[in-house]
Amino acid sequence: MRLTRPLSFKDSKRLILFGVGALLLVGIDLLTKWLAEIFLVEGELNAIIPNFLYFTKSYNTAVAFSLGSSLPMPVGRAINITISVVMSVAILWYWILNDDRFNNFQRSIAMLLAAGAVGNLIDRAFYWEAITGFDGVIDFIQFYLGGGPSAPNNFVNPFATFNLADSYLTIGIIMLIVLMVIDMIKESKNGGLSKDPRIKDAPKQSDAEKSNDAEGHN
């Protein structure tokens, strides 16, 4: 695969700008995780908005949003690291190859997805008990959407514990879905398959041809 055309200075400038934005998002993600590691106690709830938003530290060796895994920790974590590497490389590679065709909304999607994937990849790859004193990704944001800690537990109370990298991925995916829906609506308004360049319109008959056809039928 190769670029559709050589990157112009303007294209390169935009790619660098959004690339720096992705690096800044990764930096903010790492900073907030380490602030949580330093200042929060594992399992202790710290109310930001009572009965709604709390900070509470936990370590996740499974997938995003603290979704568990039944696999043994070393095996499950190795799989998650592999997935994170593949995801990060695929997003970055696709972004670089297609940046000249992207608009700024699409670049924002790529920026968020890349930052989220790389942010959690760093945790999964380098945060091990022997190195940092803990294992896995640092999660610290928790929402209660069903009444707060005193209310009965259910699917959304509490909601999964997550971090900023998870948020980047979620927002990026939502934006991607919105973009796909908008494209589908535009395509349907433009006639869908009727506008397919492979489908050619039937040639129009001239008045003389129409007259001849009419005489032939008579």
Side-chain angles (χ1 to χ4, degrees), residues 129-142:
E129 181 76 30
I131 300 174
T132 58
F134 59 88
D135 280 315
V137 177
I138 302 171
D139 290 332
F140 63 93
I141 304 170
Q142 187 169 75

Side-chain angles (χ1 to χ4, degrees), residues 51-53 142-149 151-152 154-160:
N51 295 323
F52 179 65
L53 172 62
Q142 187 169 75
F143 284 97
Y144 282 82
L145 305 179
N154 54 50
F155 180 70
V156 294
N157 195 70
F159 191 63

